[in-house]
Amino acid sequence: MSTIVYFDALGEAPGAAQRELIAAGLGLGDATVVLGTAPSAAAVSALGALGVARVLAPASDASTSLALAQADALLAAVRELGPRAVLSTATPRETEVLARAAALSESGIITGATALGEDLRVTKSVLAGSGRSQAQATTPTVFITLKSGAQAPAAAPAPAEAQLSSIEVPARSGAVITSRTQRARGGRPEVADASVVVSGGRGTDGDFAAVETLADALGAAVGASRVAADAGWVGHELQVGQTGKTVSPQLYVAAGISGAVQHLAGMRTSGTIVAVNTDEDAPIFEIADLGIVGRLEDVLPQAAAEIERRRA
Ligand SMILES: Cc1cc2nc3c(=O)[nH]c(=O)nc-3n(C[C@H](O)[C@H](O)[C@H](O)COP(=O)(O)OP(=O)(O)OC[C@H]3O[C@@H](n4cnc5c(N)ncnc54)[C@H](O)[C@@H]3O)c2cc1C
């Protein structure tokens, strides 16, 4: 099956969600990676190492820094390659680009899928994670955005020599981005990409030390409830939930988080959910696989110390 895997931009080391999507595209058959901005030579060879043989991108990103122009670039690639499926991650930006390209090519689009079948039938989590639906687009080309963690890890394909070709993008007038600054990243994984997330809520009372200690022992990302982010205890980029990041890690630890429906909407599909809360009636225990009634400042450091002890 001919497939396009689309990314807005690609760094020298593709992130976990991007690697997962590339593996899904290659698993469906003949996959071409299409980028919305010009990649570095190192990014192209990183794609080759992941088994990608063909990469299409605009020659320069000067005119393609907005979603409008990136949708033009994707549309040009779709018209050239005529793929059966166009896959991307479920970030707001990539969803916007795919939605524009799908509309302009009169194709069906399904966003935020939590699983993808070989026949392009997708599963979605609906009603704030309390149900699941299945959907299948009926147009010749199908656009699908997938949440990270949606695909089981695939066997690594054989490395390839990735060939980069340019897409001709029509010039557009309008606004352009004049500069970009990369946000400084700490040593921990990004919350949306991580296979383990430890999140803190109001129960931390603003002190995330215990949450960070356990996250570091597990090699996990730190997440947070909206209350914690709104209070300024952590940055909003760590917020998990309906108005934050949607995550689906193998392990999600919720510490001092009550389990409001808006928080559950962002983490309910996690593989194993562990909750630590002083209130035995907290709603988070209804969806937790393992519930610990206790103070997070007691429980998390003990868990971290035990993990470190066993590792040593
Ligand atoms: C439109 C809308 C969108 C929203 N989007 C989001 C979203 O994206 N993400 C999100 O998280 N929320 C969101 N919310 C807010 C949501 O409704 C809740 O208010 C929020 O999730 C509660 O955060 P919390 O669990 O940290 O705080 P609380 O509900 O106050 O819970 C704190 C918990 O900590 C426990 N606790 C207290 N002390 C300790 C301790 N020492 N050790 C262990 N446990 C302790 C308490 O028993 C309690 O269960 C949204 C709300 C609205 C209206």
Side-chain angles (χ1 to χ4, degrees):
M1 182 188 305
S2 160
T3 308
I4 283 179
V5 177
Y6 173 80
F7 301 119
D8 180 25
L10 197 70
E12 292 183 8
Q18 293 175 325
R19 291 198 305 275
E20 189 183 311
L21 201 70
I22 290 166
L26 291 170
L28 287 172
D30 174 26
T32 301
V33 169
V34 175
L35 301 172
T37 44
S40 66
V44 175
S45 34
L47 285 174
L50 293 171
V52 176
R54 188 166 187 205
V55 184
L56 288 179
S60 133
D61 65 1
S63 62
T64 57
S65 29
L66 297 175
L68 209 63
Q70 294 186 335
D72 286 345
L74 177 57
L75 191 61
V78 167
R79 290 193 171 135
E80 185 180 328
L81 301 174
R84 175 77 185 94
V86 179
L87 308 179
S88 194
T89 50
T91 63
R93 176 57 172 260
E94 280 153 352
T95 303
E96 183 182 356
V97 170
L98 259 69
R100 282 178 184 278
L104 292 168
S105 62
E106 299 188 350
S107 300
I109 177 163
I110 303 170
T111 58
T114 54
L116 173 68
E118 279 177 13
D119 55 356
L120 300 181
R121 191 183 296 266
V122 303
T123 305
K124 286 189 63 155
S125 168
V126 294
L127 300 173
S130 58
R132 282 189 296 179
S133 68
Q134 289 213 317
Q136 200 169 27
T138 53
T139 47
T141 298
V142 180
F143 289 68
I144 298 168
T145 67
L146 279 157
K147 292 187 176 175
S148 63
Q151 292 301 106
E161 185 76 30
Q163 297 294 328
L164 174 66
S165 314
S166 315
I167 316 174
E168 289 302 321
V169 186
R172 273 197 182 267
S173 57
V176 290
I177 293 170
T178 52
S179 72
R180 294 176 196 236
T181 311
Q182 190 80 21
R183 183 169 46 81
R185 289 185 56 172
R188 298 191 186 99
E190 289 282 322
V191 67
D193 286 351
S195 55
V196 181
V197 175
V198 182
S199 286
R202 198 197 302 267
T204 63
D205 201 20
D207 182 356
F208 263 61
V211 171
E212 289 171 354
T213 301
L214 181 59
D216 291 342
L218 289 166
V222 169
S225 72
R226 176 158 156 181
V227 164
D230 281 351
W233 299 339
V234 295
H236 273 284
E237 71 280 3
L238 301 190
Q239 182 187 321
V240 172
Q242 184 181 319
T243 44
K245 300 268 164 54
T246 302
V247 300
S248 207
Q250 289 161 21
L251 172 64
Y252 188 88
V253 182
I257 292 177
S258 60
V261 67
Q262 296 91 352
H263 187 81
L264 303 188
M267 43 65 72
R268 191 169 201 139
T269 55
S270 304
T272 300
I273 298 171
V274 176
V276 182
N277 200 300
T278 46
D279 176 6
E280 64 181 47
D281 294 323
I284 191 78
F285 287 133
E286 288 169 22
I287 63 149
D289 298 287
L290 173 66
I292 302 162
V293 179
R295 288 158 29 101
L296 67 92
E297 53 274 47
D298 299 332
V299 176
L300 301 193
Q302 282 180 46
E306 183 61 17
I307 290 163
E308 300 288 8
R309 190 186 68 77
R310 290 191 188 202
R311 190 168 287 144

